[in-house]
Structure formats: structure tokens, C-alpha cells
Amino acid sequence: MPDSTVSNSSASPVLPATDSAENQRRRRWRMLKDRLASYGVAVGGMSVILAIVLIFFYLLFVVLPLFGSAEMERVADYALPGSEAGHGSGPSLHLAMEEQAEIGFRLTGEGRAVFFDLQNGKTINEYALTLPVDAGISSFAVSEPTSARFALGLSNGAALVARHIYKVSYPDDKRLITPGIEYPLGEEPLDIDENGGALTRIAFQDGEEEATIVAQTADGRLLLTHFLKEESFTDDAPELEREQVLLFAEQQGTQAEIMQLLLDKEQLNLYIVYADGSLVHVDVSDKSEPRQVQQLRLVDVGLNVTSVQFLTGDISLLVGDSSGRVVQWFSVRDERGNQALKPIREFTEQTHAINSLAPEFSRKGFVAADESGLIAIYHSTAQRLLLIQRGSDVALNKLAIAPRANALLVEDVKGRLSFWSVDNEHPEISWSSLWGKVWYESYEEPVYAWQSSSSSDDFEPKLSITPLVYGTLKAAFYAMLLAVPLAICGAIYTAYFMAPKMRRIVKPSIETMEALPTVILGFLAGLWLAPLLEANLPGIFSLLIVVPLGVLLFAFLWQQLPARIRHFIPEGWDAALLLPVVLVLGAVSFGMSESLEAMFFDGDMRHWLSSELGVGFDQRNALVVGLAMGFAVIPTIFSITEDAVFSVPKHLSFGSLALGATPWQTLVRVVILTASPGIFSAVMIGMGRAVGETMIVLMATGNTPIMDFSIFEGMRTLSANIAVEMPEAEVDSTHYRVLFLAALVLFAFTFVFNTLAEVVRQRLRTKYSSL
């Protein structure tokens, strides 16, 4: 009986004596809720993982097309249009296409303009150009491709300028393209050689206010004829004011004949290419006094120049030679400050003579055809071969690319035309263009650069991600440089030394800072903090010296006070004494700023930095970002670190103190080591916050994508760049996909960094869990 009593009394607190139906129902309900909770947690965790994986694959899905190769497909093959009438069976002088790649244009050697259907080669319209009866075509040149203008040098010393046009109308709601020929400078040929000799070579450009024709005459003279345009009130053609100058009457330093003349679209530079591979560069910006700038060889001895064309923008020259090599040349400033043509990059994938080069209209790509019948698509800036494919079994002698670079028209030596569709969406992207230094046109040397847009139609996008990654790491570094020591030291003091009542005030106050919107911090940093720092630079740097030394001096003096005064402040409340000290020392540092600037920096520290140290200064710089973003990151690191230190079992601290260790020894050798996994996690989470921060770096920096680690220069980060440019990016464009690539890089960086951090944290946890 006593045993039974003891047994029932000991069991009653755990389980009722009678297992009633109500208890069973409650127990089943509790078990059901436990299972539901476990399933819910599992489903939630898996959903988060699935969402992250889906984000990764979506980013990858958008990015992958950037690295695809070009593709070409033959659409049609037919005889030269216009030859069926008994004329125009010889090689074409010129081939072109309208923007929709539906109608082709062919200019014959007899001066007939043939428009034809690109799908089947059937002639749509045919026009005979208004040539003088007694004159034939002796030379030919085209203006820059988008203008669709061309010039014919005639055997009587005149030149005729024309252009092919395409009028679009919509009768019965159906698009109709009507091709035609116009004469922008008038139907009458322009007199070039007053002696009436044939123009054997010609170059031509036509602008809004002026036109320039450079022509070689039959007797070897090289004439530059400049026309100023004046609006005519009686005729569609403008009135022309003519000025002519003789460039020279014989070849300059060579016995070879002139092979080709090229005049850039700005009508500033003339390039004379000779048959022996030499080139003469003439500055014709002053039309009355042209001057020779440079003479050089374009190819090695034993090779011949077989094709020369401007790359779009007319800054670079593409030179094809008899070995199948294509070299890009453009002007670079030399050591003496003079502009000189230099070979920048070469393409050696073809092995037969380059017969024709066709640059794209709006990108820095081009197509090359050789005498073996191969067609190759390149991109100059990316220095990338995108495709090489056989176009014919015989040599190819003419190429035309569509304005949208989605079609190609090819003529071979047998008089056959082939029409090709081209899929080449993102040729400008390569590993080197994204991550390496690239030598862009008009730059003095290869650089890392991000510049995705410009006001110029001939702009070359610069899409290097390296400056953005560099700016991201730079911003995070300076933010962490401020945040980590302050947050960790503050958290350790709060958790280990501070009085509990004061801790209950300080910890929530700092954690509340995390709720402050970063857009507010960025706003204050850009509009208030940046000008304040600029006006008080010496004060900011003196603050780094005055405050630490002042705090140490105050602590020393405090220790010299009598014990009854020191003990008047309760233990753990000492930090409250430092608040007025720090504020006073900060005010003193800022107050000394003007005097220090006048004493050591001639009254202007910004100018002193620039003139004496060669350091540039931007108002919105890394210093501003470090302070503002550090302020945003501190609450995260502080909160996690404080929890980690405060959660160290008290028996470890008491045991250490009982064994004779001082509080500092206990802190350094026991508490911090035990809390190190949590502290490390705090730093990593803070780092992730700094890397992904958008609004502060967007508003507090100059958003300049430069690679300079100076604290006085700005930067542009991956996240800020995405926020700024994504709304303006054309969907599925190269720019759009590169922004997604930047997001993928940021995603991968965060993932890899956090994974490594977790591995380190687990090792620290295992190592110090036995303490």
C-alpha cells in the first residue's frame, strides 16, 4: 500500500492516473500539430531552396544567349538580277539591301540601278543613271553605309552622286516598299577635273552642310574638291559653292599606283592606299591646306593589300591581305602627343586572300569573304570569330550586309548571288570584353570600362563587368572597415561588461537603427554628409587621432581619481561617461579643421591632394559610402555578435574566474573563442548586406565605374548599376542580358561567400565546442 501511494504520487505530475478519452483526444491533437508543424517547416525550407534554385536558373536562362555563336542559313541562290536583259552581266559595282532585308540593290558597270526581290532574285525596278552620253564609269565609291549614297567617277572628269531610297506606304493596310534613285547634289554631274581626264580613283562623303570628293585623274593628279551647300529655293538640289585644291601630282615616296582612296564621314581624314601595301594619311580638316600626317606599311613585305574598309564610325580601318589576315588599325596618341595609326588587333582565322569586307551598320562587327569561297563573321572589340562558313565553291568578290545585320548578300566570280539569313544577336560579348582590358577606339591604351550608352549613333558599348565588381568590393571594404571593429567591440562590451539595466536600453536602441530605411541614409549621405566632409576634411582625419587619444587620456585620468569618486559610478555604467567625452572631442576636431587646413594644406586640402599627391577628389566618394553604409551595417553585426557573446554559458566564465583568470583573460581566452562561430556569422551577414546594398551607394557615390581604390574617389557597384540601368535597357538586348549577368555574378558571389563562411563557422563551432 505505501509503495502504491508513492508510485501514484510520483507518476501524477507526468501522466494522469486515468487515460481518459479527453486526454487521448488532446494527445492526438498535439501530435497532429507537431507533425503539421514539422511538415510546414520542411515545406517552407524546401520552398526557399527551390525559389533560390529557380532564381539561379532564370538568371542563367537570360544570360546564356550572350555566349552563343552566330548562325547563317542560305535562303536563295540566283543569277545576277538585271543580266537577263542583255546588260549588267559583269561584276557588280555595288550591292546593298534595305532595312527590312526584302529588296536588294545592285549597281552595274553600265550605270544601271537594279532593285530585286531578295527571296527569288526577280527584278522589281530598274533605272538608268543620268550619265552623259559620251562618258562612262571609270571609278566608284560609297559614302558611309547608313546614308545609302554613292559616287561615280566618270571618264570625262566629272562625278555623279546618287543614292538608293525606299519609300514605305500602306495601301489596303499592307506594307509596300517602293525603291528609287535620288540625286542629293543634283542630276547634273559635278565637274572635278577641268582637263576632262578620267577619274581613275575616287572617295566621297556627303554631309548636311558640305560634301567632299577626292579623285585621282588619269595623269596622276590627286584633287580634293569641297562643296559648301546652300539651300535652293527653286530646286530640290542645294546650291553648291566649289573649292578645289591639288593634293599632289605624284605618289608620295612610292612608285606604286593608288589602289584605293578612303575619306571618313566627318570629312577630316583621307587615307591613300597604294598597291604595294603602303598608306598615306592626310589631314583634310582644313580643305584649303591639307597636310600629310603619316606614311606607313599596312602589310609585311611579300604580302599585298586586297581589301580596305572603314569599320562603322569611320575611326578604324579594316585591312585584309593576301594571306587571309584582317587587321584593325586606328589612331592612337604617341609619346609626342601626335595621332598615329597603329595595328590594334588582328584576325588570322582565314588562310586565303580577303576579297571583300562588309562592316555592320551599327556595331563593331564585320564580314570577310575570301577567294576560297569562305565567309567569316567577326567582332572587332570582342576580338572574336563568330562563324566561318563556306559560301561558294569559287571566289567571292562582293558582300552586302543588311542594316540590321540579320541578312547577307554574296556575289561570286561566276556571277551568282546568294542570299543568307544571319542570326547574330550578341557578337560584342566575349570573356575578354567582360573581364579583361579592351583597347577601344580613340583610347590611348587598353582599359576596363563600363559605358553602356551614349548620344552618338556610332557609339561602341563598353560592357566590362570588372569595374562594377571592383566597385562592389571597394564599397563593402570601406563599410566593413568602419562597421566591424565598432560593432564587434561594442557588442562584446555590451554583453560582457555592461550593467544589465543599461544593456536593456542600449541593445534595443542599436537594433532599432536597422529599421531605418537605407534610402533615408543614402539621402542624408549624399545631400548632407558629403558636403560636410568636403568642407571639413582635416577635421575628419584629426577625428581619427583626437578621439582615440582623448578617450585613452580620459580613462587614465579617471583611474587616478580617488576610489570614492570612481565607485560613485555603478559597475557597468562606465560607458555612459564616454558619451560627452566623444561628443566634445568630435566638436574640437571639427573646430580645428579650418586652422589645420590653413596651416598644413595652404587653405585647400582638396587642391593640395591633387597638386601634391596627384590624388583626385570627388565629393561623393568611398569615405562617404564607408560612413553611411557602415552605419547601416553596424546594427546587424552588433546584434548577432552581442547575442553570441551573451549566450556563452556562464559556468565557463565563472570557472575561468574561479581558476584565477582576470576578466580580460576570461573574455579573450574563453568567451570570444566560444562565441567565435556567432561572431564570424555576424561579420559574414554584415558583409553580405554591404555587398548587396543598393540605395546608399546609388545616392552617396558619383556612380562612376572607375577602378581606383582611393578613399577620395567614387565607384559604381553591381547592385546600383542594375538599379540605374535596368529600367532603361531594351528587353533581350545585349545590355539587358549583361545586366542579368551582373545579377548572376552578384548572386554567385553571395552564394559562394556564404557557403565558405558556413564551412568556416562549422569548423570553429566544432573546434571550440569542447570549452
Side-chain angles (χ1 to χ4, degrees), residues 622-676:
L623 179 61
V624 177
V625 172
L627 292 173
M629 199 153 70
F631 185 82
V633 172
I634 281 175
T636 301
I637 301 176
F638 174 88
S639 181
I640 300 174
T641 301
E642 204 276 343
D643 288 339
V645 174
F646 192 77
S647 299
V648 173
K650 299 301 180 184
H651 67 268
L652 294 178
S653 302
F654 294 156
S656 175
L657 293 170
L659 291 173
T662 64
W664 277 103
Q665 289 174 326
T666 300
L667 173 66
V668 173
R669 300 184 181 182
V670 176
V671 176
I672 291 181
L673 292 180
T674 306
S676 59

Coordinates of all heavy atoms in Angstrom, one line a residue, residues 622-676:
A622 N 34.3 57.2 -51.6 CA 34.3 56.0 -50.8 C 34.2 56.3 -49.3 O 33.7 55.5 -48.5 CB 35.5 55.1 -51.1
L623 N 34.7 57.4 -48.9 CA 34.7 57.8 -47.5 C 33.2 58.0 -47.1 O 32.8 57.6 -46.0 CB 35.5 59.1 -47.3 CG 35.5 59.7 -45.9 CD1 36.1 58.7 -44.9 CD2 36.3 61.0 -45.8
V624 N 32.5 58.7 -47.9 CA 31.1 59.0 -47.6 C 30.3 57.6 -47.5 O 29.5 57.4 -46.6 CB 30.4 59.9 -48.6 CG1 28.9 60.1 -48.3 CG2 31.1 61.2 -48.6
V625 N 30.6 56.8 -48.5 CA 29.9 55.5 -48.6 C 30.3 54.6 -47.3 O 29.5 53.9 -46.7 CB 30.3 54.7 -49.9 CG1 29.7 53.3 -49.8 CG2 29.7 55.5 -51.0
G626 N 31.6 54.6 -47.0 CA 32.0 53.9 -45.8 C 31.3 54.3 -44.6 O 30.9 53.4 -43.8
L627 N 31.2 55.6 -44.3 CA 30.5 56.1 -43.1 C 29.0 55.7 -43.2 O 28.4 55.2 -42.2 CB 30.7 57.6 -43.0 CG 32.1 58.0 -42.7 CD1 32.2 59.5 -42.7 CD2 32.6 57.5 -41.3
A628 N 28.4 56.0 -44.3 CA 26.9 55.8 -44.4 C 26.6 54.3 -44.4 O 25.7 53.9 -43.6 CB 26.4 56.5 -45.6
M629 N 27.3 53.5 -45.2 CA 26.9 52.1 -45.2 C 27.4 51.4 -44.0 O 26.8 50.4 -43.5 CB 27.5 51.5 -46.5 CG 26.9 50.2 -46.9 SD 27.0 49.8 -48.6 CE 28.7 49.5 -48.8
G630 N 28.5 51.8 -43.4 CA 29.0 51.3 -42.1 C 27.9 51.5 -41.1 O 27.6 50.6 -40.3
F631 N 27.3 52.7 -41.1 CA 26.2 53.0 -40.1 C 25.0 52.0 -40.3 O 24.4 51.6 -39.3 CB 25.8 54.4 -40.3 CG 24.7 54.9 -39.3 CD1 25.1 55.3 -38.0 CD2 23.4 54.9 -39.6 CE1 24.2 55.7 -37.1 CE2 22.4 55.3 -38.7 CZ 22.8 55.7 -37.5
A632 N 24.8 51.6 -41.6 CA 23.7 50.7 -41.9 C 24.0 49.3 -41.5 O 23.1 48.5 -41.1 CB 23.3 50.8 -43.3
V633 N 25.3 48.9 -41.6 CA 25.7 47.5 -41.3 C 25.9 47.2 -39.8 O 25.8 46.1 -39.3 CB 26.9 47.2 -42.1 CG1 27.5 45.8 -41.8 CG2 26.6 47.2 -43.6
I634 N 26.3 48.3 -39.1 CA 26.6 48.1 -37.7 C 25.5 47.4 -36.9 O 25.8 46.5 -36.1 CB 27.0 49.5 -37.0 CG1 28.4 49.9 -37.4 CG2 26.8 49.4 -35.5 CD1 28.8 51.3 -36.9
P635 N 24.2 47.8 -37.0 CA 23.2 47.1 -36.2 C 23.2 45.6 -36.4 O 22.9 44.8 -35.5 CB 21.9 47.8 -36.6 CG 22.3 49.1 -37.1 CD 23.6 48.9 -37.8
T636 N 23.3 45.1 -37.7 CA 23.3 43.7 -38.0 C 24.4 43.0 -37.3 O 24.2 42.0 -36.6 CB 23.4 43.5 -39.5 OG1 22.3 44.2 -40.1 CG2 23.3 42.0 -39.8
I637 N 25.6 43.5 -37.4 CA 26.8 42.8 -36.8 C 26.7 42.9 -35.3 O 27.0 41.9 -34.6 CB 28.1 43.4 -37.3 CG1 28.2 43.3 -38.9 CG2 29.3 42.8 -36.7 CD1 29.4 44.0 -39.5
F638 N 26.3 44.0 -34.8 CA 26.2 44.2 -33.3 C 25.2 43.2 -32.7 O 25.5 42.6 -31.7 CB 25.8 45.7 -33.0 CG 25.5 45.9 -31.6 CD1 26.6 46.3 -30.7 CD2 24.3 45.7 -31.0 CE1 26.3 46.5 -29.4 CE2 24.0 46.0 -29.7 CZ 25.1 46.4 -28.9
S639 N 24.1 43.1 -33.3 CA 23.0 42.3 -32.7 C 23.4 40.9 -32.6 O 23.2 40.2 -31.6 CB 21.7 42.5 -33.5 OG 20.7 41.7 -32.9
I640 N 23.9 40.3 -33.8 CA 24.3 38.9 -33.8 C 25.5 38.6 -32.9 O 25.5 37.6 -32.2 CB 24.5 38.5 -35.2 CG1 23.3 38.7 -36.1 CG2 25.0 37.0 -35.3 CD1 23.5 38.4 -37.6
T641 N 26.4 39.5 -32.9 CA 27.6 39.3 -32.1 C 27.3 39.4 -30.6 O 27.7 38.6 -29.8 CB 28.7 40.4 -32.4 OG1 29.1 40.3 -33.8 CG2 29.9 40.2 -31.5
E642 N 26.4 40.4 -30.2 CA 26.0 40.5 -28.8 C 25.3 39.3 -28.3 O 25.5 38.8 -27.2 CB 25.2 41.8 -28.7 CG 25.1 42.4 -27.3 CD 24.1 41.7 -26.4 OE1 23.2 41.0 -26.9 OE2 24.2 41.9 -25.2
D643 N 24.4 38.7 -29.2 CA 23.7 37.5 -28.8 C 24.6 36.4 -28.6 O 24.5 35.5 -27.7 CB 22.6 37.2 -29.8 CG 21.4 38.1 -29.8 OD1 21.2 38.8 -28.8 OD2 20.7 38.2 -30.8
A644 N 25.6 36.2 -29.5 CA 26.6 35.1 -29.5 C 27.4 35.2 -28.2 O 27.7 34.2 -27.5 CB 27.5 35.2 -30.7
V645 N 27.9 36.4 -27.8 CA 28.7 36.6 -26.6 C 27.9 36.4 -25.4 O 28.3 35.7 -24.4 CB 29.4 38.0 -26.6 CG1 30.1 38.2 -25.3 CG2 30.3 38.1 -27.8
F646 N 26.7 37.0 -25.4 CA 25.8 36.9 -24.2 C 25.4 35.4 -24.0 O 25.1 35.0 -22.8 CB 24.6 37.8 -24.4 CG 23.8 38.0 -23.1 CD1 24.3 38.8 -22.1 CD2 22.6 37.3 -22.9 CE1 23.5 39.0 -20.9 CE2 21.9 37.4 -21.7 CZ 22.3 38.3 -20.7
S647 N 25.3 34.6 -25.0 CA 24.8 33.2 -24.9 C 25.9 32.3 -24.4 O 25.6 31.1 -24.3 CB 24.3 32.8 -26.2 OG 23.2 33.6 -26.7
V648 N 27.1 32.7 -24.3 CA 28.2 31.8 -23.8 C 27.8 31.4 -22.4 O 27.5 32.2 -21.5 CB 29.5 32.6 -23.8 CG1 30.6 31.7 -23.1 CG2 30.0 32.9 -25.2
P649 N 27.8 30.1 -22.1 CA 27.4 29.6 -20.8 C 28.1 30.3 -19.7 O 29.4 30.4 -19.7 CB 27.7 28.1 -20.8 CG 27.6 27.8 -22.3 CD 28.1 29.0 -23.0
K650 N 27.4 30.7 -18.6 CA 28.0 31.5 -17.5 C 29.0 30.6 -16.8 O 30.0 31.1 -16.2 CB 26.9 32.0 -16.6 CG 26.0 33.0 -17.2 CD 26.7 34.2 -17.8 CE 25.7 35.2 -18.4 NZ 26.4 36.3 -19.1
H651 N 28.8 29.3 -16.7 CA 29.7 28.5 -15.9 C 31.1 28.5 -16.5 O 32.1 28.2 -15.8 CB 29.2 27.0 -15.8 CG 29.1 26.3 -17.1 ND1 28.0 26.2 -18.0 CD2 30.1 25.5 -17.8 CE1 28.3 25.5 -19.0 NE2 29.6 25.1 -18.9
L652 N 31.2 28.7 -17.8 CA 32.6 28.8 -18.4 C 33.3 30.1 -17.9 O 34.5 30.0 -17.5 CB 32.5 28.9 -19.9 CG 31.9 27.6 -20.7 CD1 31.8 27.8 -22.2 CD2 32.8 26.4 -20.4
S653 N 32.5 31.2 -17.9 CA 33.2 32.4 -17.4 C 33.5 32.3 -15.9 O 34.6 32.7 -15.4 CB 32.2 33.6 -17.6 OG 31.9 33.7 -18.9
F654 N 32.5 31.8 -15.1 CA 32.7 31.7 -13.7 C 33.9 30.7 -13.3 O 34.7 30.9 -12.4 CB 31.4 31.2 -13.0 CG 30.3 32.2 -13.1 CD1 29.0 31.8 -13.0 CD2 30.6 33.5 -13.3 CE1 28.0 32.7 -13.1 CE2 29.6 34.5 -13.3 CZ 28.2 34.0 -13.2
G655 N 34.0 29.6 -14.1 CA 35.0 28.6 -13.9 C 36.4 29.3 -14.2 O 37.3 29.0 -13.4
S656 N 36.5 30.1 -15.2 CA 37.7 30.7 -15.6 C 38.1 31.7 -14.5 O 39.3 31.8 -14.1 CB 37.6 31.4 -16.9 OG 38.8 32.2 -17.2
L657 N 37.1 32.5 -14.0 CA 37.4 33.5 -13.0 C 37.8 32.7 -11.7 O 38.7 33.2 -10.9 CB 36.2 34.4 -12.7 CG 35.9 35.3 -13.9 CD1 34.5 35.9 -13.6 CD2 36.9 36.4 -14.1
A658 N 37.2 31.6 -11.4 CA 37.5 30.9 -10.2 C 38.9 30.3 -10.2 O 39.5 30.1 -9.1 CB 36.5 29.8 -10.0
L659 N 39.4 30.0 -11.4 CA 40.7 29.5 -11.5 C 41.8 30.6 -11.5 O 43.0 30.3 -11.7 CB 40.9 28.7 -12.8 CG 40.1 27.4 -12.8 CD1 40.1 26.7 -14.2 CD2 40.6 26.4 -11.8
G660 N 41.4 31.8 -11.3 CA 42.4 32.9 -11.2 C 42.6 33.8 -12.4 O 43.4 34.7 -12.3
A661 N 41.8 33.5 -13.5 CA 42.0 34.4 -14.6 C 41.3 35.7 -14.4 O 40.3 35.8 -13.7 CB 41.3 33.7 -15.8
T662 N 41.8 36.8 -15.0 CA 41.2 38.1 -14.9 C 40.0 38.2 -15.8 O 39.9 37.3 -16.7 CB 42.2 39.2 -15.3 OG1 42.6 39.0 -16.7 CG2 43.5 39.1 -14.4
P663 N 39.2 39.2 -15.7 CA 38.0 39.3 -16.6 C 38.5 39.4 -18.1 O 37.8 38.8 -19.0 CB 37.3 40.5 -16.1 CG 37.6 40.6 -14.7 CD 39.0 40.1 -14.5
W664 N 39.6 40.1 -18.3 CA 40.0 40.3 -19.7 C 40.6 38.9 -20.2 O 40.4 38.6 -21.4 CB 41.1 41.3 -19.8 CG 40.6 42.7 -19.9 CD1 40.5 43.6 -18.9 CD2 39.9 43.3 -21.1 NE1 39.9 44.8 -19.4 CE2 39.5 44.6 -20.7 CE3 39.7 42.8 -22.4 CZ2 38.9 45.4 -21.6 CZ3 39.1 43.7 -23.2 CH2 38.7 45.0 -22.9
Q665 N 41.3 38.2 -19.4 CA 41.8 36.9 -19.8 C 40.6 35.9 -20.1 O 40.6 35.2 -21.1 CB 42.7 36.3 -18.7 CG 44.0 37.0 -18.6 CD 44.9 36.5 -17.5 OE1 44.3 36.1 -16.4 NE2 46.2 36.5 -17.6
T666 N 39.6 36.0 -19.3 CA 38.4 35.2 -19.5 C 37.7 35.5 -20.8 O 37.3 34.7 -21.5 CB 37.5 35.3 -18.3 OG1 38.1 34.9 -17.1 CG2 36.2 34.5 -18.5
L667 N 37.6 36.9 -21.0 CA 37.0 37.3 -22.3 C 37.7 36.8 -23.5 O 37.1 36.3 -24.4 CB 36.9 38.8 -22.3 CG 36.4 39.5 -23.6 CD1 35.0 39.2 -23.8 CD2 36.7 41.0 -23.5
V668 N 39.1 37.0 -23.5 CA 39.9 36.7 -24.7 C 40.0 35.2 -24.9 O 39.9 34.7 -26.1 CB 41.3 37.4 -24.6 CG1 42.2 36.9 -25.7 CG2 41.1 38.9 -24.6
R669 N 40.2 34.4 -23.8 CA 40.6 33.0 -24.0 C 39.4 32.1 -23.8 O 39.6 30.9 -24.2 CB 41.7 32.7 -23.0 CG 43.0 33.5 -23.1 CD 44.0 33.0 -22.2 NE 45.2 33.9 -22.4 CZ 46.4 33.7 -21.7 NH1 46.4 32.7 -20.8 NH2 47.4 34.5 -21.9
V670 N 38.3 32.6 -23.4 CA 37.2 31.7 -23.2 C 35.9 32.2 -23.9 O 35.4 31.5 -24.8 CB 36.8 31.5 -21.7 CG1 35.6 30.6 -21.5 CG2 38.0 30.9 -20.9
V671 N 35.5 33.4 -23.6 CA 34.2 33.9 -24.1 C 34.3 34.1 -25.6 O 33.4 33.6 -26.4 CB 33.8 35.2 -23.4 CG1 32.5 35.8 -24.0 CG2 33.6 34.9 -21.9
I672 N 35.3 34.8 -26.1 CA 35.4 35.1 -27.5 C 35.6 33.9 -28.3 O 35.0 33.7 -29.4 CB 36.5 36.2 -27.8 CG1 36.1 37.5 -27.2 CG2 36.7 36.3 -29.3 CD1 37.1 38.6 -27.4
L673 N 36.4 33.0 -27.8 CA 36.6 31.7 -28.6 C 35.3 30.9 -28.7 O 35.0 30.4 -29.8 CB 37.7 30.9 -27.9 CG 39.1 31.5 -28.0 CD1 40.1 30.6 -27.3 CD2 39.6 31.7 -29.4
T674 N 34.6 30.9 -27.6 CA 33.3 30.1 -27.6 C 32.3 30.8 -28.5 O 31.5 30.1 -29.2 CB 32.8 30.0 -26.2 OG1 33.8 29.4 -25.3 CG2 31.5 29.1 -26.2
A675 N 32.3 32.1 -28.5 CA 31.3 32.8 -29.3 C 31.8 33.1 -30.8 O 31.1 33.7 -31.6 CB 31.0 34.2 -28.7
S676 N 33.0 32.6 -31.1 CA 33.6 32.9 -32.4 C 32.7 32.5 -33.6 O 32.7 33.2 -34.6 CB 35.0 32.3 -32.5 OG 35.0 30.9 -32.4

